[in-house]
Amino acid sequence: MFAFGFFEKRTNKLIIARDYLGKKPLYYYLGNNKFVFSSSSKLIFKIIDGLKLNYESLKIFYRSY
């Protein structure tokens, strides 16, 4: 199980990935000129001040399954 990121400085590109079976999650935040990714949502909530979970989006997401 894995989740990782590679940054190619020469081309200024970032590749993030997680395992095919989904054992390790991959969370990310993009906003306010910041991009943060982690396999732990707790870490992202610690890094980004004032970040709150959007429960309406969760309802929509889980209805699709």
Side-chain angles (χ1 to χ4, degrees):
M1 70 182 172
F2 62 86
F4 62 86
F6 287 113
F7 180 68
E8 174 58 55
K9 191 174 182 180
R10 186 175 46 88
T11 60
N12 201 34
K13 290 186 179 184
L14 175 67
I15 297 171
I16 57 174
R18 61 172 254 209
D19 63 304
Y20 179 74
L21 297 176
K23 295 284 185 182
K24 197 72 165 171
L26 181 61
Y27 301 99
Y28 70 92
Y29 168 82
L30 176 61
N32 299 327
N33 292 323
K34 291 182 183 179
F35 179 72
V36 179
F37 66 94
S38 173
S39 60
S40 167
S41 61
K42 290 180 183 180
L43 180 62
I44 294 177
F45 279 95
K46 285 182 181 180
I47 293 173
I48 307 298
D49 291 328
L51 189 62
K52 294 181 181 167
L53 196 56
N54 184 326
Y55 290 102
E56 192 60 36
S57 292
L58 279 177
K59 287 179 193 176
I60 293 167
F61 174 78
Y62 282 115
R63 274 189 228 144
S64 65
Y65 281 99

